[in-house]
Amino acid sequence: MSLLARSAAPLRQVAVRARTAPVRSMHGEYKHIPFDYDKKVVFGVKVAAYLIGGFSIPFVAAYYQLSKSAGAS
């Protein structure tokens, strides 16, 4: 086998490997979200509580500041 033929063999193997489909994980379904959302009702309640809690913080702070200033006068 010539030097040229021997150097082309690894290149052919790389080309064949590049054409194959990517290997998927064998551990089941791939989940890229860092929390579990299989129970959709529980997940919806948690999301709603998080969003309502975060949205209400400025209103609660404003009410507290207004009531604090109203009590001083």
Side-chain angles (χ1 to χ4, degrees), residues 10-52:
L11 294 175
R12 279 191 296 251
Q13 291 173 352
V14 168
V16 168
R17 273 188 239 135
R19 280 187 249 148
T20 60
V23 177
R24 302 280 179 172
S25 173
M26 301 304 289
H27 297 290
E29 186 178 337
Y30 175 73
K31 295 190 176 193
H32 59 280
I33 298 178
F35 46 83
D36 189 26
Y37 60 93
D38 289 335
K39 299 176 183 173
K40 292 185 179 186
V41 174
V42 174
F43 178 71
V45 168
K46 288 180 182 179
V47 168
Y50 175 77
L51 293 174
I52 290 170

